[in-house]
Amino acid sequence: MNKIYEVKPHKNFKAEVEIPGSKSVANRALILSALATGKTILKNMLFSDDTRYMMKALQQLGNKIDIDEENKVVTIEGNQNRNFGECELFVGNAGTAMRFLPTYISTGKGKVILTGIERMKQRPIKDLVEALTQLDVDVNYMENNGYPPIIINANRLNGTEVTIKGNKSSQYLTSLLLSTPYGENDITINIDGNLVSIPYVNITLTMMKDFGMEIKNYNFKKFEIKSGKKYQGREYSVEGDCSSASYFFGMAAITNSEIKVNNVKKDAMQGDIKLLEVLEKMGAEVEYGENFVIVRGNGKLKGVTVDMHHMSDVAQTLAVVALFAEGKTEIKNVYNMRIKETDRIKAVYNELTKLGAKVTELEDGLIIEPVKKYNEGILIDTYDDHRMAMSFSLAGLLIPNTKINDPKCVSKTFPNYFDEFEKIYK
Ligand SMILES: O=C(O)C1=C[C@@H](OP(=O)(O)O)[C@@H](O)[C@H](O)C1
Ligand SMILES: C=C(OP(=O)(O)O)C(=O)O
């Protein structure tokens, strides 16, 4: 793929696209199957940077993984003894791998380093490290306090009670939930303060149940986990990625088009499916099928005010859609967008401003006021953030000569995004 992708303007079309498996579901499924008794066959698997890092890490940790990329199937043998020896795991910028693996590693024995790209080293991990320390895990920072890389001297998970903060990222809690059933003792997890991204914790709990594990949830304030029960290997189909689907939902809404988006469904586990409700409120039409969604735009969208605390991954999609609505859109309560692949609030502010929109950058959100005419021929910077590339591709459909810098950064979660995107011209 070229270093720059030039988007050709297009509207009033009818198209059909396929969404790959969900990164969040795939990387949870990998941890669950690595712990499970017996063999797990994962279908509709996603092959992208984030899942490849997770698979590679689990292979280095001793799991046997057979990869059949053509058929999107991965077969994994659970690893019951988890003697890891000494190794270093590199997970790029995959938050899910960096955060889910430490508790998994803590249930075994060995000396394991977890590291990633420079940006990963700026993404906090302190709340998880402090939680593991309370569970008697020997875990230390190797460079800067509070940030990866970390080193874990694992000698089984011996603690019994932990209090964790969940206001920066839900991935720390998910990490504990997925692997604490393999502690030596029963474990109680207390939540200190507010939890962000709760729908992701729900995905975790649902998937734990799918693999045979029920735990006690006291209204997301406290969880009780019994030791001794095992996940069961099984056949499992990875749900389609609703965050990846959001670009096509938004695209139909702004271009007065009809797009059938296959491999996503209304009752998906992923909270990001709820972006469809926001688009409906703005004026788009949504039709739900068995494993597809059809979105129709009708040329008249209205701006909205929306709290995206629990669906911040689709805030960038909405920010670009907002350019083409009537009236302003306010995206609220998404402070944690600043600690993702890039500072996403700043990145969106910069690029929308280059296009000529009136944008206000808030500490925890954005206000976007559309204008009658946008600047043409703008090169959009993507900050090594897949969601910048995918969401700003929508702008190019209505603003001539918009170009996307470094389009291949979509490989984090949706490597064939631009192939699917080009189906709209056929
Ligand atoms: O658990 C998960 O799979 C994820 C949780 C969210 O992160 P935070 O909990 O850090 O908001 C989300 O942004 C990320 O893309 C995936
Ligand atoms: C925030 C994201 O990823 P990560 O899993 O690295 O946190 C994302 O995919 O938008």
Side-chain angles (χ1 to χ4, degrees), residues 348-362:
V348 169
Y349 169 83
N350 291 346
E351 301 314 302
L352 289 182
T353 305
K354 272 160 72 178
L355 287 171
K358 271 174 75 186
V359 196
T360 312
E361 177 186 351
L362 308 170

Side-chain angles (χ1 to χ4, degrees), residues 23-24 28 96 99-100 123 168-171 174 196-197 200 312-313 336 340 344 387:
K23 157 203 83 170
S24 293
R28 282 168 175 75
T96 47
R99 279 80 177 262
F100 299 171
R123 299 182 66 189
K168 286 199 188 75
S169 169
S170 67
Q171 293 176 352
T174 284
V196 68
S197 300
Y200 289 96
S312 62
D313 283 3
N336 71 334
K340 305 261 170 168
R344 286 178 167 168
R387 302 205 188 284

